[in-house]
Amino acid sequence: MKAKVYVTIKQNVLDPQGSAVEGALHSLGFEEVGKVRVGKFVELELQTADRGEAEARVKAMCEKLLANTVIEDYRYELE
Amino acid sequence: MKAKVYVTIKQNVLDPQGSAVEGALHSLGFEEVGKVRVGKFVELELQTADRGEAEARVKAMCEKLLANTVIEDYRYELE
């Protein structure tokens, strides 16, 4: 089974990397770009067949390691 | 319009960040985890209404700034 985890900075938290990308895109001539947020995308292979169990385990991985839940949100998909 | 860009390291390129996350997950007791790949996830707000034009512009942004096409792949969604 494969899991895709998306970790994004919470809406009310400053994202300096996003601001830097926004500035760089503007100076490259992409003036139509508004707010930019940069996050992480993690692909995991899982040796489990049980979907319910996999879901619980991926949630635990996010809480413990993949996301800093104080400033980041996460969501995941299993396939 | 909003664009979501996913930048991932190409399959045949080493991903040390992914290996580090894999090792960390194993030592936290998540032994079912196989290969891990870490990528970037960029959310952009675009001040354009024309979907076709937006698509071409996002592609150009990926090629010029968001992805290093030598070692990274990218895909994007517009919504």
Side-chain angles (χ1 to χ4, degrees):
Chain A
M1 199 175 282
K2 242 186 175 179
K4 290 183 177 177
V5 179
Y6 306 90
V7 180
T8 47
I9 291 185
K10 288 188 191 210
Q11 279 308 324
N12 50 351
V13 177
L14 273 183
D15 177 6
Q17 201 186 348
S19 308
V21 171
E22 189 182 325
L25 285 171
H26 285 170
S27 53
L28 283 171
F30 298 104
E31 275 101 13
E32 75 269 42
V33 176
K35 212 168 70 166
V36 179
R37 311 282 290 176
V38 178
K40 276 176 293 181
F41 169 58
V42 186
E43 261 178 320
L44 307 144
E45 269 168 31
L46 300 173
Q47 273 103 51
T48 27
D50 182 337
R51 203 183 168 79
E53 198 203 303
E55 200 147 326
R57 296 284 281 175
V58 171
K59 193 166 193 286
M61 290 176 210
C62 291
E63 296 280 342
K64 283 191 186 157
L65 184 81
L66 302 178
N68 175 356
T69 53
V70 177
I71 55 163
E72 292 171 329
D73 287 322
Y74 63 86
R75 64 190 172 83
Y76 51 84
E77 290 162 8
L78 294 175
E79 51 184 58
Chain B
M1 199 175 286
K2 242 187 175 178
K4 290 182 178 179
V5 179
Y6 305 90
V7 180
T8 48
I9 291 185
K10 287 187 192 211
Q11 279 308 323
N12 51 350
V13 176
L14 274 183
D15 177 7
Q17 201 186 348
S19 308
V21 170
E22 190 182 324
L25 285 171
H26 286 170
S27 54
L28 283 171
F30 297 105
E31 275 101 11
E32 75 268 42
V33 176
K35 211 168 69 164
V36 179
R37 310 283 290 175
V38 179
K40 277 176 291 180
F41 169 58
V42 185
E43 263 179 318
L44 308 142
E45 268 168 32
L46 300 172
Q47 272 104 51
T48 26
D50 182 338
R51 203 182 169 80
E53 198 204 302
E55 200 146 327
R57 296 283 281 174
V58 170
K59 194 167 191 290
M61 289 176 211
C62 289
E63 295 281 341
K64 282 194 188 156
L65 183 80
L66 301 178
N68 174 356
T69 53
V70 177
I71 54 164
E72 292 172 329
D73 288 321
Y74 64 84
R75 64 191 172 81
Y76 52 84
E77 291 161 7
L78 294 174
E79 53 185 55

